[in-house]
């Protein structure tokens, strides 16, 4: 007889335990054990011990088979891991981290990371094939809209597999916060006022004191009219990736030296400032011709502005010229800082409105949420659980499929929050994102190359760039260590058919096979693999934090990020005044609806998992675990540097602090 000692751990998530019957079978290279019943009642955070007796030694244990049955009541069980000790003292660990529901039997592999070429045993090859086949049936692509990245083929969160749904803790936190904030605003009367704000000062009254993060909104409300703060936001606000260096003015933006001479300083010219790299441009061409909708039956308006900014000798970035359309002419004047106060303020507010659409639809929704979903679905479809890259990446997709499915049902759907609270129609939203995807390139997703391509390597006070580069390099070092451990040379990358299928799936269903994007459809070298994995992890963690976490901060004061405009862009100067400005901004109830969404999206919910924290210990080898500890240490160093800078700053930039970054896109 051969006696094996088995320990089965139940997860620590809410409702992980079960009173259903659980059976275990050990599968070795020389045979299987009898199916053995585990002792009754599995409680969360507990470990059950059992002995499994066999007539003979099973050889190295390669699989454990867990069976769940029930007599009357279904009671799902979350299995954390299984430990097996053989008669000779050899220890095996089987990471599970999976829900078992209904009457089911599931097999789990020993935890060593294995590429397909590492498997010699036919039983493991077959297990690999069966797992991927089942996953590809469970996680299928669908087209949400023409020209959009494909998404998971489900209609609601109730169609999601339990393993990708919110935890019970997260679900209750999410619903509770939404209801609470909505009720708070309703009780304050904001959601029942379909009229203009009475004054700029009144707009401060909507800040939710209970939210506990109103320091930045108060700063915004005090400084939003200032040109310095206007420029600052394109470096460290919600949309820090649209600003580009301008060395040649586009023909569609005929700014002259005479127009801007007074704003450049003495002894210089526009041409000289462009040549020396101190002129920058914002171009919202993506909004050209986008259909505007109605709110309360009233027509809204959308502009596609251009804005020129200048960096002065002290490093301050200020707007010096704004054109509110892509077509210059008598009805599209170029607004200047020397214009009447309300003309200039209204022009800047139109830019902020355009930036609201650019940020929400392209920078936030498309470039983090939807691409994160593409990475997640491709990983589930093409990489088995034992693959080292699955182990590395799966924590970075936690809750992403749930939050995106929720977004498609309440946020970006026809009649959803964006449809009701913004100035574009639902068709307009679809078109903005379609155009945005056409412009997404591999270069733009890889921060070091994007910074170089936009010509913003040396502009001062660009905290998004500086913090982002620190995080990119830390992630890259971590990824490179993991990849080097499992891929000894370029041939190992090229021969990994699962890896190649994963990259091809992303290229085909995420970027719609568009070769002009520069997104690879295959990987040939270790260096290419390191870069691609780094891009995926950065997008799903640091990049999302940078463009998500400040939405309440920067958008709570309405004029700084208006979601709609109720008057058309001015065609002449000298027509703006305070009441016209108030009547152009969204109504009180529209403001409240959008603000509820911004509060929720910017909130730190329960059950978060910070960047670099991997409580699900999927790697069992010593070297990957050492690399994780080194990564965590480097993230802590980055945190300390950011907090030291913030300690001295009047306005903190904390969105890329590792203590504010989740591993995944989950909100």
């Amino acid at each position: 007889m051969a006696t094996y000692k088995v320990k089965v751990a139940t997860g620590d998530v809410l409702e992980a335990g079960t009173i259903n019957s659980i059976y275990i079978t050990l599968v070795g290279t020389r045979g299987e054990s009898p199916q053995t019943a585990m002792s009754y009642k599995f409680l969360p955070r507990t470990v059950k011990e059992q002995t499994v007796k066999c007539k003979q030694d099973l050889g190295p244990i390669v699989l454990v088979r867990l069976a769940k049955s029930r007599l009357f009541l279904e009671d799902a069980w979350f299995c954390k891991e299984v430990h097996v000790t053989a008669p000779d003292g050899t220890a095996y660990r089987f990471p599970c981290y999976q829900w078992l529901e209904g009457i089911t039997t599931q097999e789990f592999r020993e935890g060593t990371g294995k590429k397909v070429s590492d498997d010699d045993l036919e039983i493991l090859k077959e297990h690999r094939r069966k797992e991927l086949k089942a996953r590809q049936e469970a996680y299928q692509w669908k087209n949400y809209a023409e020209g959009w990245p494909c998404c998971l083929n489900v209609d609601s969160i109730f169609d999601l597999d339990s393993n990708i749904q919110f935890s019970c803790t997260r679900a209750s936190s999410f619903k509770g916060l939404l209801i609470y904030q909505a009720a708070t605003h309703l009780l304050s009367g904001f959601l029942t006022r379909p009229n203009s704000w009475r004054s700029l000062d009144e707009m401060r009254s909507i800040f939710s004191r209970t939210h506990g993060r109103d320091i930045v909104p108060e700063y915004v409300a005090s400084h939003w009219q200032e040109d310095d703060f206007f420029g600052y936001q394109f470096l460290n606000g919600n949309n820090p990736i649209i600003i580009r260096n301008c060395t040649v003015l586009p023909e569609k933006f005929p700014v002259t030296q005479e127009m801007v001479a007074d704003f450049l300083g003495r002894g210089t010219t526009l041409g000289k400032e462009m040549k020396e790299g101190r002129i920058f441009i914002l171009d919202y061409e993506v909004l050209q011709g986008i259909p505007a909708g109605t709110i309360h039956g009233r027509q809204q308006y959308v502009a596609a502005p251009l804005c020129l900014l200048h960096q002065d000798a002290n490093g301050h970035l200020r707007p010096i010229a704004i054109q509110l359309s892509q077509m210059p002419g008598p009805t599209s004047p170029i607004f200047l800082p020397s214009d009447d106060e309300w003309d200039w303020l209204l022009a800047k507010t139109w830019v902020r409105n355009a930036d609201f659409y650019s940020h929400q639809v392209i920078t936030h929704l498309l470039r983090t949420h939807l691409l994160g979903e593409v990475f997640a679905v491709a990983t589930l479809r093409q990489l088995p659980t034992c693959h080292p890259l699955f182990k590395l990446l799966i924590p970075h997709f936690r809750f992403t499929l749930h939050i995106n499915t929720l977004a498609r049902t309440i946020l970006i759907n026809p009649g959803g929050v964006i449809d009701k609270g913004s100035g574009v129609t639902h068709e307009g939203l679809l078109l903005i994102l379609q155009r945005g995807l056409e412009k997404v390139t591999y270069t733009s997703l890889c921060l070091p190359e994007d910074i170089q391509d936009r010509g913003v390597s040396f502009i001062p006070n660009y905290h998004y760039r500086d913090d982002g580069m620190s995080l990119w390099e830390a992630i890259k070092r971590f990824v490179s260590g993991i990849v080097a451990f499992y891929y000894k040379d370029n041939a190992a990358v090229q021969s990994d058919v699962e890896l190649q299928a994963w990259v091809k799936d992303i290229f085909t269903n995420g970027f719609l096979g568009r070769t002009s994007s520069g997104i690879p459809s295959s990987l040939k070298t270790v260096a290419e693999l390191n870069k691609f994995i780094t891009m995926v992890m950065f997008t799903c963690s640091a990049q999302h934090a940078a463009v998500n976490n400040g939405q309440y901060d920067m958008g709570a004061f309405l004029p700084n990020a208006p979601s709609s405009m109720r008057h058309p862009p001015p065609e002449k100067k000298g027509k703006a005044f305070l009441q016209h400005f108030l009547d152009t901004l969204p109504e009180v109830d529209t403001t409240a609806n959008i603000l509820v969404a911004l509060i929720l999206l910017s909130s730190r919910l329960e059950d978060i998992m910070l960047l670099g924290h991997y409580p699900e210990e999927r790697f069992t080898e010593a070297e990957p675990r050492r690399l994780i500890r080194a990564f965590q240490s480097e993230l802590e160093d980055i945190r300390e540097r950011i907090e030291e800078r913030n300690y001295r700053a009047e306005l903190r930039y904390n969105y890329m602090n590792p203590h504010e970054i989740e591993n995944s896109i989950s909100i």
Side-chain angles (χ1 to χ4, degrees):
M1 296 288 290
T3 301
Y4 293 82
K5 296 179 180 179
V6 174
K7 295 181 179 180
V8 179
T10 297
D12 59 1
V13 297
L14 197 64
E15 300 183 2
T18 186
I19 58 173
N20 288 173
S21 299
I22 304 296
Y23 303 86
I24 189 168
T25 304
L26 308 182
V27 180
T29 58
R30 294 200 291 267
E32 298 184 5
S33 73
Q35 186 181 74
T36 303
M38 300 292 296
S39 57
Y40 175 75
K41 197 171 185 180
F42 289 73
L43 298 176
R45 304 181 187 86
T46 60
V47 177
K48 291 281 187 179
E49 298 187 11
Q50 184 72 42
T51 58
V52 176
K53 296 183 178 181
C54 306
K55 293 182 179 180
Q56 62 181 23
D57 187 285
L58 301 177
I61 306 301
V62 294
L63 294 170
V64 294
R65 186 179 301 134
L66 295 174
K68 175 177 169 292
S69 64
R70 65 172 188 255
L71 292 176
F72 304 106
L73 184 66
E74 162 58 18
D75 190 18
W77 175 49
F78 186 81
C79 182
K80 178 180 178 182
E81 59 187 2
V82 176
H83 288 255
V84 177
T85 303
D88 64 0
T90 302
Y92 302 90
R93 179 168 166 257
F94 297 81
C96 302
Y97 302 109
Q98 193 158 327
W99 287 98
L100 278 72
E101 297 177 306
I103 299 173
T104 185
T105 299
Q106 296 188 32
E107 293 180 338
F108 300 93
R109 286 185 55 143
E110 188 274 326
T112 305
K114 294 288 183 70
K115 307 186 299 299
V116 64
S117 59
D118 298 327
D119 278 342
D120 297 324
L121 298 174
E122 184 57 36
I123 189 174
L124 294 182
K125 294 178 181 178
E126 178 61 20
H127 179 269
R128 206 175 190 113
R129 288 191 292 265
K130 286 171 62 178
E131 181 183 15
L132 285 183
K133 181 180 178 182
R135 290 249 208 89
Q136 287 166 7
E137 291 174 354
Y139 299 99
Q140 297 184 9
W141 296 108
K142 77 171 180 180
N143 295 315
Y144 178 76
E146 183 180 355
W148 281 42
C150 295
C151 63
L152 183 65
N153 186 18
V154 294
D155 294 324
S156 77
I157 58 173
F158 304 106
D159 298 331
L160 295 172
D161 181 89
S162 297
N163 293 293
I164 59 173
Q165 287 183 354
F166 279 176
S167 65
C168 295
T169 302
R170 168 60 66 96
S172 60
S173 173
F174 190 91
K175 291 177 183 176
L177 186 60
L178 179 61
I179 294 169
Y180 173 74
Q181 296 295 351
T184 298
H185 289 297
L186 181 61
L187 291 174
S188 299
F190 294 119
L191 287 171
T192 59
R193 288 177 54 189
N195 51 278
S196 298
W197 290 92
R198 290 187 284 264
S199 69
L200 293 174
D201 282 341
E202 189 196 17
M203 295 176 188
R204 292 175 183 251
S205 64
I206 201 169
F207 297 164
S208 174
R209 294 288 186 254
T210 57
H211 192 248
R213 291 181 60 189
D214 55 2
I215 295 175
V216 178
E218 287 288 358
Y219 183 94
V220 172
S222 299
H223 297 275
W224 70 284
Q225 298 184 56
E226 299 169 7
D227 289 355
D228 284 3
F229 183 64
F230 179 90
Y232 168 90
Q233 290 187 80
F234 295 102
L235 301 178
N236 303 310
N238 290 327
N239 197 12
I241 66 170
I242 192 170
I243 186 171
R244 303 184 71 90
N245 187 252
C246 180
T247 55
V248 178
L249 281 173
E251 292 184 5
K252 63 185 180 181
F253 196 16
V255 178
T256 65
Q257 163 66 21
E258 291 72 26
M259 290 179 182
V260 298
D262 292 343
F263 321 124
L264 301 176
R266 295 182 179 179
T268 189
T269 65
L270 181 58
K272 181 180 179 183
E273 294 298 292
M274 285 194 290
K275 185 176 181 180
E276 295 184 358
R278 290 193 289 270
I279 299 295
F280 300 86
I281 193 168
L282 312 169
D283 187 349
Y284 297 94
E285 184 180 18
V286 70
L287 299 176
Q288 177 68 20
I290 293 296
T294 60
I295 298 176
H296 299 313
R298 177 173 177 170
Q299 182 63 51
Q300 308 293 299
Y301 298 89
V302 178
L306 293 136
C307 178
L308 211 62
L309 302 110
H310 174 244
Q311 176 199 328
D312 69 12
N314 296 319
H316 297 298
L317 190 68
R318 299 187 180 100
I320 57 172
I322 295 172
Q323 180 178 289
L324 297 181
S325 80
Q326 297 286 310
M327 299 177 62
T331 59
S332 183
I334 294 176
F335 293 90
L336 305 169
S338 55
D339 289 338
D340 177 80
E341 173 190 3
W342 289 107
D343 282 344
W344 181 235
L345 189 60
L346 183 60
K348 288 191 296 180
T349 304
W350 272 104
V351 174
R352 297 300 305 154
N353 170 248
D355 200 67
F356 175 89
Y357 298 128
S358 171
H359 163 255
Q360 291 291 358
V361 181
I362 299 175
T363 302
H364 183 210
L365 175 60
L366 168 60
R367 292 171 59 99
T368 61
H369 278 265
L370 299 189
L371 293 186
E373 179 169 5
V374 167
F375 303 147
V377 174
T379 300
L380 289 165
R381 287 174 53 82
Q382 305 300 345
L383 300 179
T385 307
C386 64
H387 197 290
L389 296 183
F390 181 93
K391 294 173 180 287
L392 174 64
L393 290 172
I394 199 64
H396 298 281
F397 308 135
R398 182 174 183 257
F399 301 153
T400 298
L401 298 177
H402 189 127
I403 194 65
N404 280 11
T405 302
L406 202 59
R408 282 188 286 271
T409 55
I410 67 172
L411 192 65
I412 63 173
N413 57 305
V417 174
I418 297 298
D419 194 18
K420 288 181 178 179
S422 78
V424 299
T425 61
H426 183 256
E427 292 73 22
L429 182 149
L430 299 181
L431 185 55
I432 293 171
L433 196 139
Q434 178 184 332
R435 291 178 180 178
L437 182 59
E438 290 172 354
K439 293 183 179 297
V440 172
T441 63
Y442 195 26
T443 292
S444 71
L445 294 174
C446 297
L447 183 66
E449 296 176 17
D450 179 54
I451 294 297
Q452 190 71 28
D453 181 63
R454 291 191 286 117
V456 290
S457 299
F458 301 107
I459 189 169
N461 304 315
Y462 197 2
H463 305 316
Y464 162 79
R465 174 199 61 208
D466 298 337
D467 297 351
M469 286 296 293
S470 295
L471 290 163
W472 178 278
E473 292 302 325
I475 293 171
K476 183 179 179 181
R477 279 187 284 273
F478 173 48
V479 167
S480 298
I482 296 289
V483 168
F485 183 72
Y486 293 102
Y487 294 86
K488 302 306 180 186
D489 51 32
N490 294 339
V493 173
Q494 296 168 17
S495 63
D496 188 344
V497 293
E498 291 168 343
L499 165 64
Q500 300 299 339
W502 176 69
V503 176
K504 185 65 176 292
D505 215 6
I506 291 171
F507 173 74
T508 303
N509 292 290
F511 299 90
L512 310 185
R514 185 168 52 85
T515 56
S516 59
S517 69
I519 300 292
S521 58
S522 64
L523 299 173
K524 297 181 174 59
T525 67
V526 170
E528 289 178 358
L529 177 56
N530 288 336
K531 177 180 174 181
F532 196 82
I533 298 292
T534 300
M535 179 274 292
V536 170
M537 284 178 56
F538 183 85
T539 298
C540 295
S541 57
Q543 183 64 19
H544 178 255
V547 304
N548 175 79
N549 293 1
Q551 293 187 83
Y552 174 80
D553 285 348
M554 296 296 177
F557 186 64
L558 168 67
N560 194 57
S563 63
S564 65
M565 299 292 265
R566 295 184 287 153
H567 282 302
E571 296 183 348
K572 292 182 179 180
K573 296 183 181 184
K575 301 292 185 180
F577 53 95
L578 173 58
Q579 191 58 50
H580 174 79
F581 187 81
L582 294 174
D583 290 340
T584 300
L585 295 176
E587 302 93 334
V588 177
D589 60 344
T590 303
T591 304
N593 275 308
I594 289 293
L595 188 57
V596 169
L598 296 185
I599 290 172
L600 189 62
L601 293 173
S602 302
S603 295
R604 187 176 177 126
L605 300 184
E606 294 180 34
D607 197 21
I608 68 169
M609 208 61 66
L610 295 179
L611 178 60
H613 291 258
Y614 304 110
E616 293 188 350
E617 297 177 340
R618 294 177 179 273
F619 288 105
T620 59
E621 305 97 313
E623 177 61 8
R625 294 159 76 90
R626 184 195 69 79
L627 289 167
I628 289 173
R629 292 193 297 272
F631 182 40
Q632 292 170 341
S633 178
E634 191 166 358
L635 291 173
E636 188 63 17
D637 291 341
I638 293 171
R639 179 194 67 82
E640 290 179 359
R641 292 199 299 271
I642 291 173
E643 293 185 356
E644 174 65 23
R645 179 195 68 213
N646 283 339
Y647 181 76
R648 301 187 300 270
E650 181 182 11
L651 182 61
R652 293 160 54 92
Y653 182 77
N654 210 39
Y655 307 128
M656 300 184 89
N657 182 333
H659 278 203
E660 297 291 329
I661 300 173
E662 286 197 64
N663 268 331
S664 61
I665 299 165
S666 67
I667 184 64

